Amino acid sequence: MRVSADRTLCVGAGLCALTAPGIFDQDDEGVVTVLRSDPAGDDRPAVREAGMLCPSRAVQVVEVDT
């Protein structure tokens, strides 16, 4: 799994940071910041949920085979 975020699309809702706080944060302006682009197995369900909840679709989650 690879995680990224388009900071230009982010509207600062904060759902990503609330849903997967070990992976996402917000800067002083409320814009998403990705803390880890390759989440561990335990974090993956929350990361998927954060991607689905993002109202502006700024969060991208890509499943990659390992």
Side-chain angles (χ1 to χ4, degrees), residues 1 4-5 7 10-11 16 19 22 25 31 39 41 43 45-46 51 55 57 60-61 64:
M1 171 182 288
S4 61
R7 293 172 47 85
C10 180
V11 295
C16 56
T19 306
D25 199 358
V31 178
D43 292 322
R57 299 293 178 230
Q60 295 91 36
V61 178
V64 292

Side-chain angles (χ1 to χ4, degrees), residues 1-60:
M1 171 182 288
R2 291 280 175 219
V3 179
S4 61
D6 185 338
R7 293 172 47 85
T8 64
L9 293 177
C10 180
V11 295
L15 295 172
C16 56
L18 291 171
T19 306
I23 307 300
F24 302 102
D25 199 358
Q26 290 176 286
D27 65 15
D28 291 338
E29 296 176 357
V31 178
V32 64
T33 300
V34 177
L35 302 174
R36 289 190 359 235
S37 62
D38 57 344
D42 291 349
D43 292 322
R44 291 178 178 187
V47 169
R48 287 182 190 102
E49 184 175 357
M52 289 187 293
L53 291 174
C54 180
S56 64
R57 299 293 178 230
V59 172
Q60 295 91 36

